[in-house]
Coordinates of all heavy atoms in Angstrom, one line a residue:
V1 N -6.9 -5.1 -0.4 CA -6.9 -4.6 0.9 C -8.0 -5.4 1.7 O -9.1 -5.6 1.3 CB -7.4 -3.1 0.9 CG1 -7.6 -2.6 2.4 CG2 -6.4 -2.3 0.2
V2 N -7.6 -5.9 2.9 CA -8.5 -6.7 3.7 C -8.8 -6.0 5.1 O -9.8 -6.3 5.6 CB -8.0 -8.1 3.9 CG1 -8.0 -9.0 2.7 CG2 -6.6 -8.2 4.5
K3 N -7.9 -5.2 5.5 CA -8.1 -4.4 6.7 C -7.6 -3.0 6.6 O -6.4 -2.8 6.1 CB -7.5 -5.1 7.9 CG -8.1 -6.4 8.4 CD -9.4 -6.2 9.1 CE -9.9 -7.5 9.6 NZ -11.2 -7.3 10.3
E4 N -8.4 -2.0 6.9 CA -7.9 -0.6 6.7 C -8.1 0.0 8.1 O -8.7 -0.5 9.0 CB -8.7 0.1 5.7 CG -10.1 0.6 6.1 CD -11.2 -0.5 5.8 OE1 -10.8 -1.7 5.6 OE2 -12.4 -0.1 5.9
N5 N -7.5 1.2 8.3 CA -7.6 1.9 9.5 C -8.7 3.0 9.4 O -9.3 3.2 8.3 CB -6.3 2.6 9.8 CG -5.3 1.6 10.4 OD1 -5.4 1.1 11.6 ND2 -4.3 1.3 9.7
E6 N -9.0 3.6 10.5 CA -10.2 4.4 10.6 C -10.2 5.6 9.6 O -11.3 5.9 9.0 CB -10.3 5.0 12.0 CG -11.6 5.7 12.3 CD -11.8 6.0 13.8 OE1 -11.4 5.2 14.7 OE2 -12.4 7.1 14.1
D7 N -9.1 6.2 9.3 CA -9.0 7.3 8.4 C -8.5 6.9 7.0 O -8.1 7.8 6.2 CB -8.0 8.4 9.0 CG -8.5 8.9 10.4 OD1 -9.7 9.1 10.5 OD2 -7.7 9.2 11.2
S8 N -8.5 5.7 6.7 CA -8.0 5.2 5.4 C -8.8 5.7 4.3 O -10.1 5.8 4.3 CB -8.0 3.7 5.4 OG -7.1 3.1 6.3
H9 N -8.1 6.1 3.2 CA -8.9 6.4 1.9 C -9.0 5.1 1.0 O -9.8 5.1 0.1 CB -8.1 7.5 1.1 CG -6.8 7.2 0.7 ND1 -5.6 7.2 1.4 CD2 -6.3 6.7 -0.6 CE1 -4.6 6.9 0.8 NE2 -5.0 6.5 -0.5
L10 N -8.2 4.1 1.4 CA -8.3 2.8 0.7 C -9.2 1.9 1.5 O -9.1 2.0 2.7 CB -7.0 2.2 0.5 CG -6.0 2.9 -0.4 CD1 -4.6 2.2 -0.3 CD2 -6.4 2.9 -1.8
K11 N -10.1 1.2 0.9 CA -11.1 0.4 1.6 C -10.9 -1.1 1.3 O -10.4 -1.4 0.3 CB -12.5 0.9 1.2 CG -12.8 2.3 1.5 CD -12.6 2.7 3.0 CE -12.8 4.2 3.3 NZ -12.5 4.5 4.7
A12 N -11.5 -1.9 2.2 CA -11.4 -3.3 2.0 C -12.0 -3.7 0.7 O -13.1 -3.2 0.3 CB -12.1 -4.0 3.2
G13 N -11.3 -4.6 0.0 CA -11.8 -5.1 -1.3 C -11.1 -4.4 -2.4 O -11.3 -4.8 -3.6
Q14 N -10.5 -3.3 -2.1 CA -9.8 -2.5 -3.2 C -8.5 -3.2 -3.6 O -7.8 -3.7 -2.8 CB -9.5 -1.1 -2.7 CG -9.5 0.0 -3.8 CD -9.6 1.4 -3.2 OE1 -9.8 1.6 -2.0 NE2 -9.3 2.4 -4.0
L15 N -8.2 -3.2 -4.9 CA -7.0 -3.7 -5.5 C -5.9 -2.6 -5.4 O -6.1 -1.5 -5.8 CB -7.2 -4.1 -6.9 CG -6.1 -4.9 -7.6 CD1 -6.0 -6.3 -7.0 CD2 -6.3 -5.0 -9.1
V16 N -4.7 -3.0 -4.9 CA -3.6 -2.0 -4.8 C -2.3 -2.6 -5.3 O -2.2 -3.9 -5.3 CB -3.5 -1.5 -3.3 CG1 -4.7 -0.7 -2.9 CG2 -3.2 -2.7 -2.4
G17 N -1.4 -1.7 -5.6 CA 0.0 -2.2 -5.9 C 0.9 -1.6 -4.8 O 0.7 -0.4 -4.3
I18 N 1.9 -2.3 -4.4 CA 2.8 -1.9 -3.4 C 4.3 -2.0 -4.0 O 4.7 -3.1 -4.3 CB 2.7 -2.7 -2.1 CG1 1.3 -2.7 -1.6 CG2 3.7 -2.2 -1.0 CD1 1.0 -3.6 -0.4
P19 N 4.9 -0.9 -4.1 CA 6.3 -0.9 -4.7 C 7.4 -0.8 -3.7 O 7.2 -1.0 -2.5 CB 6.2 0.4 -5.5 CG 5.5 1.4 -4.6 CD 4.4 0.5 -3.9
W20 N 8.6 -0.6 -4.2 CA 9.9 -0.5 -3.4 C 9.9 0.6 -2.3 O 10.1 0.3 -1.2 CB 11.0 -0.3 -4.3 CG 12.4 -0.1 -3.7 CD1 13.0 1.2 -3.8 CD2 13.2 -1.0 -3.1 NE1 14.2 1.1 -3.2 CE2 14.4 -0.2 -2.7 CE3 13.2 -2.3 -2.7 CZ2 15.5 -0.8 -2.1 CZ3 14.3 -2.9 -2.0 CH2 15.4 -2.1 -1.8
L21 N 9.4 1.8 -2.7 CA 9.4 2.9 -1.7 C 8.2 2.7 -0.8 O 7.1 2.8 -1.2 CB 9.3 4.2 -2.4 CG 9.4 5.5 -1.5 CD1 10.8 5.6 -1.0 CD2 9.1 6.7 -2.3
G22 N 8.5 2.4 0.5 CA 7.5 2.0 1.4 C 7.1 3.1 2.4 O 6.0 3.1 3.0
Y23 N 8.0 4.1 2.6 CA 7.7 5.2 3.5 C 8.7 6.3 3.4 O 9.9 6.0 3.1 CB 7.8 4.6 5.0 CG 7.9 5.7 6.0 CD1 6.7 6.3 6.5 CD2 9.1 6.2 6.5 CE1 6.7 7.3 7.5 CE2 9.1 7.2 7.5 CZ 7.9 7.7 8.0 OH 7.9 8.7 8.9
T24 N 8.3 7.5 3.5 CA 9.2 8.6 3.6 C 8.7 9.6 4.7 O 7.6 9.6 5.0 CB 9.3 9.5 2.3 OG1 8.0 9.9 1.9 CG2 9.9 8.6 1.1
C25 N 9.7 10.3 5.3 CA 9.3 11.1 6.4 C 8.6 12.4 6.1 O 7.8 12.9 7.0 CB 10.6 11.5 7.2 SG 11.7 12.7 6.4
G26 N 8.8 13.0 4.9 CA 8.1 14.2 4.6 C 8.7 15.4 5.2 O 8.2 16.6 5.0
K27 N 9.8 15.3 6.0 CA 10.3 16.4 6.7 C 11.8 16.7 6.4 O 12.3 17.8 6.7 CB 10.2 16.1 8.3 CG 8.7 15.9 8.7 CD 8.7 15.5 10.2 CE 7.3 15.3 10.6 NZ 7.2 14.9 12.1
C28 N 12.5 15.8 5.9 CA 14.0 16.0 5.7 C 14.1 16.9 4.5 O 13.2 17.2 3.8 CB 14.7 14.6 5.5 SG 14.4 13.9 3.9
I29 N 15.3 17.3 4.3 CA 15.6 18.4 3.2 C 15.2 17.8 1.8 O 14.8 18.6 1.0 CB 17.1 18.8 3.3 CG1 17.4 20.0 2.3 CG2 18.1 17.6 3.0 CD1 18.7 20.6 2.5
Y30 N 15.4 16.5 1.7 CA 15.1 16.0 0.3 C 13.6 15.9 0.1 O 13.1 16.2 -1.0 CB 15.8 14.6 0.2 CG 17.3 14.7 0.3 CD1 17.9 14.3 1.5 CD2 18.0 15.3 -0.7 CE1 19.3 14.4 1.7 CE2 19.4 15.4 -0.5 CZ 20.0 14.9 0.6 OH 21.4 15.1 0.8
C31 N 12.8 15.5 1.1 CA 11.4 15.4 1.0 C 10.9 16.9 0.7 O 9.9 17.1 -0.1 CB 10.8 14.9 2.2 SG 10.9 13.1 2.4
L32 N 11.4 17.8 1.4 CA 11.0 19.2 1.3 C 11.3 19.8 -0.1 O 10.7 20.7 -0.5 CB 11.5 20.1 2.4 CG 11.0 19.7 3.8 CD1 11.7 20.6 4.8 CD2 9.5 19.9 3.9
R33 N 12.3 19.2 -0.7 CA 12.7 19.6 -2.1 C 11.8 18.9 -3.2 O 12.0 19.1 -4.3 CB 14.2 19.4 -2.4 CG 15.1 20.2 -1.6 CD 16.5 19.8 -2.0 NE 17.5 20.5 -1.3 CZ 18.9 20.2 -1.3 NH1 19.2 19.1 -1.9 NH2 19.7 20.9 -0.6
G34 N 10.9 18.0 -2.7 CA 10.2 17.2 -3.7 C 11.0 16.0 -4.2 O 10.7 15.5 -5.3
M35 N 12.1 15.6 -3.5 CA 12.9 14.5 -3.9 C 12.8 13.4 -2.9 O 13.8 13.0 -2.3 CB 14.3 15.0 -4.0 CG 14.5 16.2 -5.0 SD 16.2 17.0 -4.8 CE 17.2 15.7 -5.6
E36 N 11.5 12.9 -2.7 CA 11.3 11.9 -1.7 C 12.0 10.6 -1.9 O 12.3 9.8 -1.0 CB 9.8 11.6 -1.5 CG 9.1 11.0 -2.6 CD 7.7 10.6 -2.3 OE1 7.2 11.0 -1.3 OE2 7.0 10.1 -3.2
N37 N 12.4 10.3 -3.2 CA 13.2 9.2 -3.5 C 14.6 9.2 -2.8 O 15.2 8.1 -2.7 CB 13.4 9.0 -5.0 CG 14.1 10.2 -5.7 OD1 13.7 11.3 -5.5 ND2 15.1 9.9 -6.4
L38 N 15.0 10.3 -2.3 CA 16.3 10.5 -1.7 C 16.1 10.7 -0.1 O 17.1 11.0 0.6 CB 17.1 11.6 -2.2 CG 17.4 11.6 -3.7 CD1 18.2 12.8 -4.2 CD2 18.1 10.3 -4.1
C39 N 14.9 10.5 0.4 CA 14.6 10.7 1.8 C 15.6 10.1 2.7 O 15.9 8.9 2.5 CB 13.2 10.2 2.1 SG 12.8 10.3 3.8
E40 N 16.1 10.8 3.7 CA 17.1 10.3 4.6 C 16.5 9.2 5.6 O 17.3 8.5 6.2 CB 17.7 11.4 5.4 CG 18.6 12.3 4.6 CD 19.3 13.3 5.4 OE1 18.8 13.9 6.4 OE2 20.5 13.6 5.0
N41 N 15.2 9.2 5.7 CA 14.6 8.2 6.7 C 13.7 7.3 5.9 O 12.7 6.8 6.6 CB 13.7 9.1 7.7 CG 14.6 10.1 8.4 OD1 15.6 9.8 9.1 ND2 14.4 11.4 8.2
A42 N 13.9 7.1 4.7 CA 13.0 6.2 3.9 C 13.1 4.8 4.4 O 14.1 4.3 4.9 CB 13.4 6.3 2.4
L43 N 12.0 4.1 4.2 CA 11.9 2.6 4.4 C 11.5 1.9 3.1 O 10.7 2.5 2.3 CB 10.9 2.3 5.5 CG 11.2 2.9 6.9 CD1 10.0 2.6 7.8 CD2 12.5 2.2 7.4
F44 N 12.0 0.7 2.8 CA 11.8 0.1 1.5 C 11.2 -1.3 1.7 O 11.7 -2.1 2.5 CB 13.2 0.0 0.8 CG 13.8 1.3 0.6 CD1 14.9 1.8 1.4 CD2 13.4 2.2 -0.4 CE1 15.4 3.1 1.3 CE2 13.9 3.4 -0.6 CZ 15.0 3.9 0.3

């Protein structure tokens, strides 16, 4: 991490891994069922 935002829990200098699943909405029926891997609005 080299730049974080104001409310970030990750800080500059921290080592991170970034996988295939890049974003889920948290609001669709699948996210609400705990199946975020099937999120209708996911980004990869």
Side-chain angles (χ1 to χ4, degrees):
V1 177
V2 292
K3 292 287 185 178
E4 76 274 14
N5 283 290
E6 192 168 321
D7 299 325
S8 295
H9 66 275
L10 296 172
K11 302 301 179 184
Q14 206 164 351
L15 190 71
V16 295
I18 303 174
W20 170 251
L21 188 66
Y23 168 85
T24 58
C25 69
K27 299 176 181 179
C28 72
I29 187 171
Y30 301 105
C31 286
L32 295 176
R33 287 178 184 170
M35 303 167 72
E36 68 177 2
N37 58 308
L38 304 179
C39 174
E40 291 188 321
N41 304 297
L43 297 173
F44 302 101

